Each structure stands twice: as C-alpha cells, then as structure tokens.
Amino acid sequence: MVNMDFNSASIKPFEYDFSFAKNGIEHSVFTKGSGPGVLLMHELPGMTPEFWRLANWLAEHFTVWAPDLFGNDSEHTPADLGKLTFKACISREIHLFAQNDPGPITQWLRDLSQSLHQKVGGDGVGVIGMCMTGNFSLTLALDPWVVAPIVSQPGIPGNLPWRNQDNGLQMNDVEKQQLAARDVDVMGLRFAGDKFCKAARFQAIKDVIGERRFHEHVLPDSSRNPDGKRSFPHSVLTMDLVDRDDALTKQKLGEVIQFLKERL
C-alpha cells in the first residue's frame, strides 16, 4: 500500500492571505513560499490533501498562490465531489461544457496572475491547471507575463450527448491564433488511459503551438497510485501521484519543477 500520510507537515493547507476581487468575481487566495511566482489552480473536488501536498512541494522552490475557486473554504474532500461538481456545472464563472469559452473565471485568473507577477517581479510567472482548470493555463498563456504554462490532464470541455469534445481547448479561433503567435513553451501531462483527457486534446494543443513547443508527457496507466479512488488513472500530480522517489509520477513532479525553474 502506498504511504499517503496526510497528517504530515508537507500537506498542511497554506495560510489564508487575501481576497482578490475583479469585475464582480471574488475568491480567497492562499499563499506560501518565496522566489519566482507560480499560480496553482485546483481541480475537482478542490483543495484536497493531495492538492496541498503538491502546493507545499512547489512552495519549497517558488512563491505559490493558490486561489479557491469554489468559495472561501480552504479544505475540500473527495466526499464533496458530487456537490462541487454540481456547483461547477451551474456556475456562471466556469463553463464546463463550452467548446470555445471557459467562462469569466479565466479573466479573473489572468488578472490574478498579473498581480502575482507585479508582486514578485522577474521574467514572468508559471501557471498550473489540472483537470477542470487544465485548459485555463492555455488562456492565461495569452498574456506576456505567463512564461511557463503547464496543463495537467485537462479534462474540459466535457462531452455532450450530441457533441464529442475530446479535442476541445475552450479557446476561440482568435485566441488560438494569439497563442500560436506567442513564443512560449507549454508542458502537458496525462495518463494514456485517462477517459477525461484523451490523446485528441493533446493533439489539439500541438495543432495550435506546434510539436516543438509542446512538452508532452504521457504516462503509462501502471504508474498511477494503485489505491486511487477512480476506476481509471487521471490526476497525475495529486490523487494518482505515488510518493516514492523511484515512482514515475514523483519523477514527473521533478520535471514540472525543472520546467518552471528553467523559465522563471
């Protein structure tokens, strides 16, 4: 059994720092660390212990800002998945099933990432999106201060009964052209057998920015946490990460940190 000790110091939630309000949207932001800035966006079901474990690892190297997109609560558990999924589905801020529009939340996140850059300075900031927020990193990468975007198992837009959206990026044609024009590398991670993030989605990213600029990492399903809660592998850096130095998922975390360091 994989050791998942969530009582250790390495997975304590960050301290609440401030509330960020812009254009009628307001969410709490939790911060920790020093050095170059990284904006870490949570997945469903939110700020789980596995999320905080990742956040603390990153905070050993960077100034990490972690916004809570589901309210002002710093802790969510897997038991909250149904409730929070429903909340996300009806949210005016997040458009889970829209092919070309991720919703107003991405503009709020773009403003937040700019604020992070202004706070820490340097060449720019990194952004990490996962599952629900995975493709948000691409939208944030339209801004010049985002120099290290990472998409981990981008799971939306979700499929609809009348439309297969496996290749959806939640960007319109103009935004895709803007992203293509930026000389920015993108790192992507997914499991080969992920039912939410399939090969078509990564191919769509390569179609926009080119294979040279897309650092693609597709992990074998066998490298997932064997005690994972889903029937298929999905969350590369959180729930399906195996916390052993010889584990492939832990090694990929090291490559994520290296990708950020080289660009920040």
Side-chain angles (χ1 to χ4, degrees):
M1 182 174 181
V2 176
N3 180 18
M4 302 290 276
D5 178 11
F6 295 140
N7 293 317
S8 67
S10 66
I11 50 81
K12 286 183 179 178
F14 291 178
E15 294 293 331
Y16 167 79
D17 195 345
F18 63 95
S19 182
F20 187 77
K22 199 79 171 181
N23 298 323
I25 298 176
E26 182 174 4
H27 292 288
S28 298
V29 181
F30 300 82
T31 71
K32 187 176 180 180
S34 60
V38 172
L39 180 65
L40 177 63
M41 299 171 279
H42 64 71
E43 59 199 318
L44 283 166
M47 291 175 153
T48 62
E50 296 96 333
F51 170 83
W52 287 121
R53 180 179 63 178
L54 170 63
N56 277 280
W57 277 329
L58 292 170
E60 294 175 5
H61 308 274
F62 310 105
T63 299
V64 180
W65 284 16
D68 183 355
L69 304 182
F70 289 147
N72 297 319
D73 182 3
S74 64
E75 296 185 45
H76 302 299
T77 69
D80 298 324
L81 179 58
K83 177 182 68 177
L84 293 173
T85 300
F86 177 76
K87 184 176 181 178
C89 284
I90 64 174
S91 170
R92 295 178 181 177
E93 298 177 10
I94 304 171
H95 299 166
L96 292 186
F97 300 100
Q99 177 80 6
N100 303 321
D101 178 18
I105 192 65
T106 49
Q107 184 55 58
W108 183 88
L109 287 164
R110 291 172 76 173
D111 292 331
L112 182 64
S113 69
Q114 184 179 29
S115 180
L116 172 59
H117 177 48
Q118 292 170 343
K119 178 80 172 180
V120 302
D123 294 334
V125 301
V127 296
I128 301 176
M130 303 180 288
C131 186
M132 177 190 74
T133 60
N135 278 335
F136 291 178
S137 291
L138 298 177
T139 303
L140 269 62
L142 299 177
D143 293 317
W145 54 83
V146 173
V147 297
I150 297 173
V151 297
S152 189
Q153 77 275 354
I156 57 172
N159 285 325
L160 297 167
W162 58 89
R163 181 188 298 166
N164 181 299
Q165 303 193 114
D166 287 338
N167 63 345
L169 300 180
Q170 292 195 305
M171 305 182 79
N172 59 42
D173 290 341
V174 172
E175 290 169 334
K176 289 178 181 178
Q177 291 170 4
Q178 292 173 341
L179 182 60
R182 280 212 64 202
D183 186 21
V184 62
D185 290 349
V186 177
M187 183 177 189
L189 305 101
R190 59 179 288 270
F191 285 104
D194 191 342
K195 295 181 180 179
F196 293 154
C197 178
K198 299 181 179 179
R201 186 149 290 153
F202 273 17
Q203 183 59 52
I205 297 174
K206 288 185 282 189
D207 289 343
V208 172
I209 67 173
E211 296 204 16
R212 177 185 63 83
R213 287 166 49 199
F214 187 51
H215 300 250
E216 180 179 14
H217 299 263
V218 180
L219 286 68
D221 294 355
S222 58
S223 63
R224 70 171 294 188
N225 173 19
D227 298 318
K229 300 173 179 66
R230 292 188 182 89
S231 60
F232 57 90
H234 180 59
S235 299
V236 177
L237 301 175
T238 55
M239 293 182 188
D240 282 312
L241 183 142
V242 178
D243 188 8
R244 290 197 319 265
D245 290 342
D246 64 341
L248 181 60
T249 48
K250 188 71 175 289
Q251 292 168 5
K252 290 301 175 181
L253 170 64
E255 294 181 38
V256 165
I257 293 171
Q258 186 63 28
F259 179 87
L260 292 166
K261 283 185 172 182
E262 290 174 352
R263 289 157 180 80
L264 303 183

